[in-house]
Amino acid sequence: MLTSKQKLYLKGLAHSLKPLVNIGKQGLTEPLKKQTDTYLTQHELIKIKILEACQEDKKICAQTLSEQTTSQVVQIIGRTVVLYRPHPEEPVIILPST
């Protein structure tokens, strides 16, 4: 579980990121979940854009993706979700201690 200090740090890092994944009218498909998982392994911190065409609630989308990729929701701003998962072997992002 991320502390508020760690979330604040990650929000700062995520500010300049571009969304890597777009959730459209198809919703949370299996290929989208796999793509999200791959990007999390590569980048650790990613932005996901939930398009207007998506019928699912943004909080449900964020929670579902978080659970299925074993990542953590850093923040939800508008229709943009930021997810974080440290690399299993060589983490690049070093979180501040509590």
Side-chain angles (χ1 to χ4, degrees), residues 57-77:
D57 180 68
K58 61 186 177 185
K59 290 181 181 177
I60 293 172
C61 282
Q63 188 62 39
T64 303
L65 269 178
S66 171
E67 289 169 0
Q68 293 181 351
T69 60
T70 61
S71 61
Q72 296 185 46
V73 177
V74 175
Q75 70 178 352
I76 301 172
I77 296 183

Side-chain angles (χ1 to χ4, degrees), residues 14-82:
H15 182 73
S16 62
L17 297 178
K18 301 274 186 253
L20 293 177
V21 179
N22 291 314
I23 302 174
K25 65 180 178 180
Q26 303 289 318
L28 297 174
T29 62
E30 202 54 43
L32 184 127
K33 293 172 191 170
K34 287 180 182 174
Q35 180 185 37
T36 302
D37 192 57
T38 301
Y39 282 136
L40 279 166
T41 301
Q42 292 171 350
H43 301 282
E44 295 183 319
L45 186 68
I46 64 168
K47 272 188 182 175
I48 298 166
K49 185 74 175 170
I50 301 172
L51 304 175
E52 293 289 332
C54 182
Q55 300 298 315
E56 298 177 51
D57 180 68
K58 61 186 177 185
K59 290 181 181 177
I60 293 172
C61 282
Q63 188 62 39
T64 303
L65 269 178
S66 171
E67 289 169 0
Q68 293 181 351
T69 60
T70 61
S71 61
Q72 296 185 46
V73 177
V74 175
Q75 70 178 352
I76 301 172
I77 296 183
R79 300 184 74 77
T80 303
V81 176
V82 178

